[in-house]
Amino acid sequence: MAAERLSMRKISEVLRLKAAGHSQRAIAGSLSISHSTVGDYLARARLAGITWPLQADCTEAALQARLFPAAPGSRVTRPLPDWPTVHQEMARRKRSGVTLQLLWMEYREGAPDGLQYSQYCQLYRQWRRRLDRVLRHEHVPGEKVFVDFAGQTVPVVDRGTGEIRQAQVFVATLGASNYSYAKACWTQALPDWLALHAHLYAFLGGVPRITVPDNLKAGVAKACYYEPDLNPAYADLAEHYGTAVLPARILKPRDKAKVEAGVQLVERWILARLRKLTFFTLAELNDDIHRLLEHLNNHPFQKLPGCRRSVYEQLDRPALQPLPAHPYEWCDWRHARVNIDYHIEVHGHYYSVPHRLVREAVDVRLTPTMVEVLHGHQRVALHRRSHNQGGFTTDPAHRPKAHQEHLAWPPTRLIAWAERSGPHVGQLVRRLLESKRHPEQGYRPAMGLLRLGDDYGLDRLNAACERALLLATPSYRSVKSILAHDFDRLPLTVPAPLSLPQDHANLRGNAYYADATAGDAP
């Protein structure tokens, strides 16, 4: 069976995790793909002589051509029903009147060449017999850490205002030793989620081979029972630390039973003891959590020798992977499309990319200090992050080497296009481009101005531009406001210059002031 075509990010991740020594089943679970696909893909890589890390010149197109030199044939197989969905429908049959024959008929409507009714019933019964079997997990030392948030929160009082804010409590438990970790934070959002993982690995003094989270939105971008998709930033953190993320299945608490028990212990041993205390800062709360956490990990087991810390030092600690040289720096991922001015917009600021990527889709990796732009899994631009709203960060190397007139959209062409919409439109666009330090910085508002003609018509756009020029406000926002409030429909009147009468009883004239000052002279 031909391997399913994966994205370049998942293709690279398969090779990286295999090189790190993970099993094919663990890789399939981490990347939400089938076990057979992982095996097929690794076989193709071996035949093509591709190993991790990839060579610098191994582009997306080259890798695709080497792994899939020819489109493989496929044979028609009978599609199988979604047995969990069938089982759920049968569980509600008393209320809904659903029968197995009705479900089979609905299945055949979508798959005319599917199973016959007798096969359908037989396979469903075989699948049902495998339910309600509990697998006792034998945890390998240093293999898995389970992470989740506690259900309880802790109030923190602002000393100045008296406002109460609820702090979240992050909990982690190692599989083999039950060694636990807990830390308070303000939110369950992505920045806190990633920072907590970095603190966790530093606390453990190493990195487990597999990290098992719940389907929290910060970690799993799209929750799915069979194929959850990881948040790109979370996947980036996993690559940095060399761990594989294997989310727990939805509605399967047994997949993360370790951390469920760990959360219960933290709530009973730590949060319950802190319930009568008042905290004014998050640091104070974490100090007390750390103190009680040490007591929890050092507390002797009731039925086994030693404690969590001693078992951790004996089993988990020697088996953990080493920490990277530098801790992970939080990053976020965005998708953007390059405008004709070869800039992309990120949080209100504009960053340049090579001009050859005009109108292309790119991926943007954001850190607190840097903005990295990738196209086809390769970096094409790197800028220092700026929070100047509406500003531009332009690398001169991204400009075309030829003269300005060879650009796909020179200012002269944009002005000529605007003049076809009306003389005042062309005049305003010209004024707009001349007001910018670099003319291409005016392309975006000029394009937005011209698109207003699609919404309001060219006649109204031309009248609005005439009014904006008269008011000395030649900008996209000004024209848009004039159109939105129908000011372009009002009569356009030019105020006459102010003229004073030459002779009037209340006018004193220059002579009056000359006489008045003469009497004050010494």
Side-chain angles (χ1 to χ4, degrees), residues 331-394:
C331 72
D332 192 10
W333 288 87
R334 293 284 188 272
H335 298 291
R337 187 169 295 277
V338 183
N339 206 340
I340 61 172
D341 59 358
Y342 51 89
H343 284 71
I344 60 172
E345 186 270 331
V346 181
H347 293 310
H349 192 84
Y350 300 94
Y351 302 90
S352 68
V353 298
H355 65 93
R356 59 182 173 80
L357 298 177
V358 166
R359 300 188 184 279
E360 292 288 333
V362 295
D363 295 321
V364 184
R365 181 178 179 269
L366 300 173
T367 72
T369 57
M370 303 299 293
V371 175
E372 182 181 13
V373 185
L374 298 98
H375 181 259
H377 203 58
Q378 291 186 333
R379 179 197 290 177
V380 294
L382 182 66
H383 298 282
R384 186 173 298 279
R385 188 166 181 178
S386 174
H387 299 281
N388 179 22
Q389 293 289 320
F392 283 79
T393 299
T394 305

Side-chain angles (χ1 to χ4, degrees), residues 58-327:
C58 188
T59 62
E60 179 178 2
L63 186 59
Q64 187 78 5
R66 293 176 64 182
L67 291 178
F68 299 94
S74 61
R75 59 186 182 88
V76 178
T77 58
R78 294 185 178 184
L80 292 177
D82 184 2
W83 296 125
T85 302
V86 173
H87 189 66
Q88 291 177 1
E89 292 287 346
M90 291 298 293
R92 296 192 292 263
R93 63 184 183 275
K94 292 184 179 180
R95 290 180 296 173
S96 60
V98 172
T99 64
L100 201 58
Q101 185 176 16
L102 175 62
L103 295 176
W104 171 76
M105 293 171 62
E106 294 175 349
Y107 155 73
R108 287 298 297 264
E109 290 178 0
D113 298 328
L115 302 173
Q116 298 298 324
Y117 179 62
S118 59
Q119 294 176 304
Y120 185 93
C121 296
Q122 181 182 3
L123 292 176
Y124 170 65
R125 294 190 184 99
Q126 292 176 359
W127 178 88
R128 190 178 58 185
R129 292 192 196 104
R130 296 195 296 267
L131 295 179
D132 298 329
R133 294 183 180 179
V134 178
L135 173 64
R136 183 173 182 85
H137 295 279
E138 296 295 336
H139 294 284
V140 178
E143 182 185 39
K144 290 183 180 180
V145 63
F146 301 82
V147 298
D148 201 358
F149 279 99
Q152 296 183 19
T153 58
V154 182
V156 179
V157 182
D158 188 302
R159 196 184 298 272
T161 64
E163 180 184 359
I164 298 177
R165 188 176 181 182
Q166 298 295 329
Q168 310 291 324
V169 180
F170 175 81
V171 180
T173 303
L174 282 171
S177 63
N178 290 320
Y179 191 62
S180 298
Y181 171 77
K183 188 178 180 67
C185 63
W186 286 125
T187 70
Q188 297 185 15
L190 181 64
D192 283 334
W193 176 254
L194 299 180
L196 288 166
H197 278 70
H199 297 157
L200 165 64
Y201 300 139
F203 174 82
L204 297 178
V207 183
R209 296 163 63 86
I210 297 175
T211 302
V212 183
D214 200 355
N215 285 271
L216 185 72
K217 190 67 176 178
V220 180
K222 183 178 180 181
C224 177
Y225 187 90
Y226 301 101
E227 294 186 352
D229 285 336
L230 294 184
N231 187 302
Y234 195 27
D236 192 52
L237 176 137
E239 181 177 355
H240 179 80
Y241 283 101
T243 186
V245 177
L246 183 62
R249 294 172 296 172
I250 301 175
L251 302 178
K252 289 294 181 180
R254 293 169 183 167
D255 286 2
K256 54 185 181 68
K258 285 284 183 178
V259 75
E260 294 287 345
V263 166
Q264 187 179 63
L265 279 174
V266 167
E267 291 177 346
R268 292 179 178 178
W269 281 74
I270 298 178
L271 301 186
R273 297 186 181 188
L274 300 179
R275 70 188 187 281
K276 295 182 179 180
L277 300 180
T278 302
F279 299 97
F280 297 98
T281 65
L282 200 63
E284 293 178 1
L285 172 59
N286 277 319
D287 287 342
D288 277 6
I289 289 178
H290 180 74
R291 174 177 56 83
L292 294 174
L293 182 65
E294 290 293 314
H295 180 64
L296 170 62
N297 285 325
N298 293 326
H299 187 75
F301 291 125
Q302 291 183 356
K303 300 181 181 180
L304 297 173
C307 61
R308 289 174 175 81
R309 179 177 294 279
S310 64
V311 178
Y312 158 73
E313 295 290 349
Q314 180 183 0
L315 297 180
D316 277 322
R317 180 62 185 270
L320 293 176
Q321 301 176 106
L323 290 168
H326 302 284

Side-chain angles (χ1 to χ4, degrees), residues 417-439:
W417 185 20
E419 287 177 345
R420 289 197 293 271
S421 301
H424 300 294
V425 179
Q427 185 179 355
L428 193 143
V429 169
R430 183 186 298 274
R431 188 84 60 85
L432 189 63
L433 297 177
E434 292 174 351
S435 66
K436 302 295 182 182
R437 180 177 179 181
H438 301 290

